[in-house]
Every structure is written in structure tokens, then in C-alpha cells.
Amino acid sequence: MRAGGRPRRHRRPARRRAQRHCAPRFPRPAHRPRTRSGTPPGKLCVAGIHTGDLHNRVYGNGKLLINLSYSTASEGAAAEAELLAAVNSGVEQFTATFADTREFARTAADASSITRVDWLKRGLPCLHSSAAWAEELLTNAGAARWPDSTPAFTCDAIWMAGVPDTYTAVLGPGTLDGNNAHAEGEYAELDELRRYASIVSSLLTGFADQHRRQFQKGKIR
């Protein structure tokens, strides 16, 4: 503090340098899978991270939960390969960066043996339903198609993928986010249930009428 003046703030450049040293930037893997369009396959979402329940304790293990979404089986396989390559590359770079440090030498030496990828689910099929007769039937019944601009979702309907002569659609009252679907407080308004029942009724009668017309024209037996 200077006499007759205001206090002077003291800077601490050494601490900032130490912070930069503890958070090195790792380069991306040299070879990364690409789709035919040249973009990385699928999308990645961090679902959660857990290392322990106490804030003032350093735990010896942790978990990072990741979801990989994809629109085709080949895209899913490419995303899986990219994830494994990224993990392996990260472990190698961590070992090389911290092998000679006092604090992390042991962890760097054991990194490859204590880091692993466990798949809770993998190789799930992708559902691609596209049939003009079914699209027309759903539209006439008042069942609006899920907009391409909105995020997709998955459910047990994927197991109908590849089943011949079928068209699979997911239909229900309300909306996923607006009605707290599959979460606490899930509900449906009475008007939504009435509209849903009307759509189901129209689908059944519309399918029967469509089948009758095709039979009369001799297209089916």
C-alpha cells in the first residue's frame, strides 16, 4: 500500500501458470472415422458422470456415461470405433504427458489397465419405416408425422426393423416433453385421450377399407 494512496492489488501469475500446466490440451486422434458425407458418424451425448458422493474426498474410480445415437447400423459401428479410438488415444496421451510428474506418475503408469469401456447396449437396430400406403393411412387418420427438424427418440419399436411387409409407427396421446412422458408426474388430458382414441379408430377402419378396395381390384387375395 502506498502512503496516501489506494491499496494496490497484487497479481499472482505463478498460480495461473500452474493452472494452465494442470490442464494440457490433447490433440485429436489423427485418423477419425467419417460417413460418406465426410461428417463424424452419429451424435454423442454425455448422460452423466460419477466419482463419489462426498465433495471433499478424492475417490479412486469413476464412471462417465455416454449415449451414442445413429441413424443406420453402419453409422453406429463407425461411432463405436471412433469412441474406442478416442479413449485409447486419450489414455496414451495422458500417460505420455504425466509419466514424469511426481503427482500422477503412478496413475499414468496404470492408466491403460484401469481405464476401460463397458457397453451397456450396443449394436441396436435402426427402424426405417417408409411405405406410401401406410403414410397415407396415418395422414388420413390425423396422425401427424414426427417433424424431421425435432430431436429423434428411441423405444422398443426398433425391434420391428427388417420385418417384411410391416410398417411401424409410435403413437400416443400428448407429447413427450409437454406431458412428462416416462417421468414423475406423467399425465394426459382428457381431450388428448379422446383425440388419440379417434385416431386409433380411424386407423383401424381406414386399414380395413384400404384392404377391401385392394381385394376388390384383385391386388390381394
Side-chain angles (χ1 to χ4, degrees):
M1 180 182 295
R2 294 179 295 175
R6 288 182 293 182
R8 177 180 296 173
R9 294 182 178 178
H10 296 281
R11 298 181 179 178
R12 297 179 179 177
R15 176 175 296 180
R16 282 194 287 270
R17 284 198 298 269
Q19 290 174 347
R20 285 198 295 268
H21 174 73
C22 292
R25 293 181 179 272
F26 294 140
R28 292 179 179 272
H31 302 286
R32 304 182 67 196
R34 291 290 189 272
T35 61
R36 290 183 178 180
S37 62
T39 59
K43 293 183 179 180
L44 182 148
C45 172
V46 176
I49 183 171
H50 181 74
T51 58
D53 298 324
L54 300 178
H55 70 281
N56 58 348
R57 177 181 175 185
V58 178
Y59 290 84
N61 56 67
K63 294 181 179 180
L64 174 65
L65 301 178
I66 293 176
N67 288 328
L68 295 176
S69 62
Y70 49 91
S71 57
T72 64
S74 59
E75 188 178 85
E80 179 181 327
E82 180 171 0
L83 175 65
L84 292 175
V87 172
N88 292 334
S89 176
V91 170
E92 292 175 358
Q93 294 168 33
F94 176 87
T95 300
T97 301
F98 295 104
D100 297 329
T101 62
R102 183 190 63 181
E103 294 83 357
F104 301 107
R106 174 65 184 276
T107 304
D110 297 340
S112 60
S113 61
I114 63 177
T115 305
R116 70 177 188 271
V117 176
D118 293 329
W119 297 99
L120 302 180
K121 296 180 181 178
R122 69 188 303 188
L124 298 181
C126 296
L127 181 64
H128 293 279
S129 292
S130 58
W133 65 266
E135 295 285 354
E136 179 183 0
L137 184 65
L138 288 164
T139 300
N140 293 338
R145 188 177 186 276
W146 187 264
D148 293 334
S149 58
T150 56
F153 63 92
T154 185
C155 64
D156 288 339
I158 61 175
W159 299 113
M160 289 297 293
V163 179
D165 300 326
T166 64
Y167 183 96
T168 304
V170 179
L171 180 63
T175 61
L176 291 175
D177 53 350
N179 296 72
N180 296 329
H182 308 297
E184 185 177 356
E186 181 178 11
Y187 72 97
E189 298 288 355
L190 183 59
D191 289 342
E192 294 172 336
L193 293 174
R194 287 171 176 164
R195 183 174 182 276
Y196 172 67
S198 176
I199 292 175
V200 172
S201 176
S202 297
L203 282 174
L204 294 175
T205 55
F207 181 80
D209 292 339
Q210 188 182 75
H211 190 276
R212 187 182 301 109
R213 289 193 300 269
Q214 291 179 342
F215 178 79
Q216 292 172 349
K217 294 179 180 179
K219 295 183 177 181
I220 59 175
R221 296 181 179 181

